[in-house]
Amino acid sequence: MTTIPSRLSRPVTISLSLLEARARARAMYRDWYRCLICVDKTSYQLKAPEIVTIHGLTIPPALIRSRIRAEFERHRYVQDPAVIDILLQKSRQSFQEVMNAWSQESHILGVILKDKTKEPKTFLQKFYEGRDEDAVLVASPQTSYP
């Protein structure tokens, strides 16, 4: 498959209402889902999913579908149309990178296999582990190390 940058590009649109933003989000979800189940127009048979075929992945398409669904479900209760527009633009960019084969296999697997749910830890749990991820020291050029 050749890379055609404008093949999947869309103009930036601004949603005027929440209903319009939700409709665009459903359309984006359909775009992601349709690239996973492709019907051959000549024989009307299911052919190999495009993302798995293009990138030569060894994971089942069902796992990709579940991760895409989880990502859309994570942002399900966003009510601000401007925020939904930004999320849709990021999703469209990722979709174009994946489908034009600009994303490498490691990028896709990193997103798919990475568990986004992080169990919140209490202060004592962090203390017992001996670290605190929330309190990170910022290195500055003026800092001298012994």
Side-chain angles (χ1 to χ4, degrees):
M1 171 184 249
T2 60
T3 301
I4 304 170
S6 62
R7 177 172 66 107
L8 300 167
S9 64
R10 302 278 186 277
V12 176
T13 56
I14 298 172
S15 302
L16 300 176
S17 68
L18 183 61
L19 292 175
E20 183 182 351
R22 297 255 177 186
R24 290 181 52 231
R26 283 191 300 273
M28 186 72 236
Y29 179 75
R30 282 189 209 111
D31 286 347
W32 274 106
Y33 201 79
R34 285 179 181 152
C35 76
L36 290 169
I37 299 177
C38 301
V39 177
D40 189 3
K41 301 291 185 196
T42 58
S43 62
Y44 294 102
Q45 304 244 339
L46 289 175
K47 62 180 186 176
E50 270 189 76
I51 291 177
V52 175
T53 304
I54 291 171
H55 297 282
L57 301 176
T58 57
I59 58 175
L63 179 62
I64 298 174
R65 276 187 224 112
S66 68
R67 288 299 179 170
I68 289 172
R69 170 117 186 176
E71 191 64 25
F72 276 86
E73 287 289 331
R74 191 167 69 113
H75 301 294
R76 181 181 196 158
Y77 298 105
V78 176
Q79 297 293 321
D80 188 8
V83 174
I84 294 174
D85 286 341
I86 291 171
L87 291 170
L88 287 172
Q89 289 171 5
K90 288 181 179 182
S91 180
R92 175 61 62 187
Q93 179 183 356
S94 296
F95 181 69
Q96 187 173 5
E97 289 173 358
V98 168
M99 295 309 294
N100 281 330
W102 296 338
S103 295
Q104 300 299 316
E105 179 181 355
S106 59
H107 299 132
I108 297 169
L109 290 178
V111 171
I112 291 172
L113 299 178
K114 181 179 172 185
D115 190 16
K116 300 263 182 179
T117 59
K118 191 180 191 183
E119 186 176 317
K121 295 183 179 180
T122 64
F123 172 76
L124 283 178
Q125 288 173 332
K126 294 177 190 176
F127 179 76
Y128 293 146
E129 289 179 5
R131 61 182 178 179
D132 187 8
E133 287 98 13
D134 298 333
V136 178
L137 296 175
V138 178
S140 65
Q142 290 82 19
T143 306
S144 62
Y145 296 103

